[in-house]
Amino acid sequence: MSFSVIHSLAMIAVVSICTMLLRAFPFLVFGGRKDVPELVRYLGAVLPASIMAVLVVYCLKEIQFQVLADWVPAILASLLVVILHVWKKNILLSITLGTICYMVLIQVVF
Amino acid sequence: MLNKMEVVQKRRRNFIFAFRQSIPVMLGYIFLGIAFGLLLQDAGYSFWWALLSSVVIYAGSMQFVLVTLLTGGAGLLYAAIMTLFINGRHIFYGLSFVEKFKKMGKCYPYMIFSLTDETYSVLCGTKTPEDLNEDKVFFWISFLDHCYWILGSVIGAVAGSYITFDSTGIDFSMTALFIVIVVEQWQSTKSHFPAILGAVCGIVWLLLLGPDRFLLPALCSCVVILLIARGSSMKEQEAV
């Protein structure tokens, strides 16, 4: 194992505290008030969709488009997830089959 | 005596109702938790690390990123900034429950701590029958979801050290989770501008800065462009 235990513990603590603060933020700010500002409501409604799309790009960031064995499995498995989810609307099914498909493609096919 | 039995029965009915509500999350969390535990184990961390992370962090997508931060030797400040951005969306979940959670007494801090994407959506969709105690039902849903996540990640980490199958590519489950959430958001909103904006910003900044540095600028530019878009649409409305 090539990692520092203290650094890892500190990192888990940092991630934990930041996550807690984010979740507590609306309660700290608006806990004493009745109405939430319009701008905050607006961002609350539209920002999650942008964030999740950026995160999909984040997951696929290491793909090399010059290497066939790199991008074909990722694109095929991603398409399968989209199609399955539009069709069956079952989170577990979409994620499981998509992941199995990807694993088979990169381990066996390519 | 009869009174006591009624109380016990009511408690049990609160729990059973909450359990039923939590079943879809149970399946997803145990599976994703296993994927997380396996990843962490692959990275050389024993199951105590998976247990600790899932108990004190309890944020699915961020914990997957945590694995890359730990193995990549990232700094603490970078980890903090990444958390603020990746979990930034959590700020908006609490807005729907400010009034409700405040009234829950000693459960109040835990309800805030455990408000994940999935728990948020289940709580939003729960219509508690009138003869049950809604506060208790909400608490059980949140607590059960947390348990599923912990259980899954420990199973993944423990099984990872005994079952030796080739788990190359299992990290795709994180990609699949995000794609599923994008699809769900796409179908539940009329305006697809935010999702398209996110994809475009992500790809443009990725091409400009490369895989290691594009995430923060991409997220920032999304916020700025969304605010500008709102400003201009308000002006149009005023002009009409």
Side-chain angles (χ1 to χ4, degrees):
Chain A
M1 280 194 275
S2 58
F3 60 88
S4 143
V5 171
I6 294 190
H7 184 73
S8 299
L9 281 176
M11 187 171 279
I12 288 172
V14 163
V15 173
S16 167
I17 290 165
C18 289
T19 305
M20 280 182 206
L21 285 176
L22 286 170
R23 284 179 186 156
F25 185 79
F27 297 92
L28 297 174
V29 177
F30 305 113
R33 287 160 50 168
K34 270 194 180 157
D35 49 335
V36 172
E38 196 53 40
L39 203 65
V40 175
R41 255 193 216 145
Y42 164 74
L43 279 180
V46 295
L47 197 55
S50 299
I51 293 172
M52 295 318 298
V54 174
L55 286 180
V56 171
V57 178
Y58 179 76
C59 290
L60 301 172
K61 70 187 158 89
E62 305 287 353
I63 291 178
Q64 306 277 327
F65 277 95
Q66 302 92 312
V67 187
L68 199 69
D70 212 31
W71 66 269
V72 171
I75 299 297
L76 280 182
S78 301
L79 280 176
L80 177 71
V81 173
V82 172
I83 292 165
L84 272 176
H85 204 69
V86 170
W87 179 35
K88 289 285 185 189
K89 298 195 192 313
N90 181 331
I91 298 176
L92 181 69
L93 184 83
S94 312
I95 294 176
T96 313
L97 287 186
T99 306
I100 293 173
C101 165
Y102 181 75
M103 291 171 74
V104 169
L105 282 174
I106 60 164
Q107 288 182 22
V108 182
V109 181
F110 287 94
Chain B
M1 193 62 193
L2 190 73
N3 218 349
K4 209 174 177 183
M5 267 176 66
E6 274 174 7
V7 170
V8 171
Q9 269 208 333
K10 199 180 161 186
R11 273 188 198 155
R12 190 182 298 160
R13 295 217 325 279
N14 285 331
F15 179 81
I16 291 170
F17 179 75
F19 175 69
R20 284 210 190 109
Q21 296 292 311
S22 74
I23 288 175
V25 177
M26 171 170 72
L27 301 172
Y29 269 14
I30 291 184
F31 179 77
L32 277 171
I34 288 176
F36 165 72
L38 269 173
L39 264 185
L40 199 59
Q41 215 273 331
D42 271 352
Y45 289 80
S46 67
F47 84 93
W48 291 107
W49 290 97
L51 179 68
L52 177 71
S53 310
S54 293
V55 170
V56 304
I57 300 175
Y58 187 33
S61 40
M62 188 59 220
Q63 282 178 237
F64 281 95
V65 176
L66 173 76
V67 180
T68 64
L69 292 177
L70 286 171
T71 52
L76 294 181
L77 183 65
Y78 186 76
I81 295 170
M82 287 292 279
T83 311
L84 293 182
F85 270 96
I86 291 174
N87 283 343
R89 62 186 192 283
H90 287 289
I91 285 183
F92 306 106
Y93 297 159
L95 296 175
S96 328
F97 289 108
V98 172
E99 306 296 331
K100 169 76 189 157
F101 287 178
K102 258 201 314 191
K103 294 181 198 133
M104 290 181 63
K106 62 179 190 291
C107 300
Y108 183 42
Y110 182 75
M111 294 305 291
I112 298 171
F113 163 77
S114 60
L115 195 59
T116 60
D117 310 61
E118 289 77 7
T119 300
Y120 170 77
S121 59
V122 171
L123 292 183
C124 284
T126 296
K127 302 271 176 290
T128 313
E130 267 181 30
D131 58 325
L132 296 181
N133 182 336
E134 191 175 61
D135 288 1
K136 297 257 163 60
V137 169
F138 270 38
F139 169 76
W140 281 122
I141 290 173
S142 299
F143 183 68
L144 283 169
D145 286 355
H146 195 182
C147 291
Y148 303 146
W149 178 247
I150 295 167
L151 184 69
S153 53
V154 171
I155 292 174
V158 171
S161 30
Y162 295 106
I163 304 167
T164 49
F165 79 101
D166 188 355
S167 60
T168 313
I170 198 154
D171 52 330
F172 188 80
S173 53
M174 172 169 67
T175 316
L177 169 70
F178 292 149
I179 293 174
V180 163
I181 298 176
V182 168
V183 170
E184 293 206 330
Q185 283 172 340
W186 184 278
Q187 290 175 329
S188 66
T189 51
K190 272 188 207 156
S191 167
H192 297 150
F193 173 69
I196 295 168
L197 175 71
V200 171
C201 284
I203 292 168
V204 168
W205 283 107
L206 175 63
L207 294 175
L208 285 175
L209 297 179
D212 295 331
R213 288 183 297 167
F214 85 100
L215 186 58
L216 304 185
L219 289 168
C220 287
S221 52
C222 283
V223 173
V224 171
I225 293 170
L226 284 171
L227 288 175
I228 293 170
R230 172 172 163 85
S232 58
S233 71
M234 292 250 293
K235 269 182 200 152
E236 274 169 34
Q237 281 175 355
E238 279 166 17
V240 173

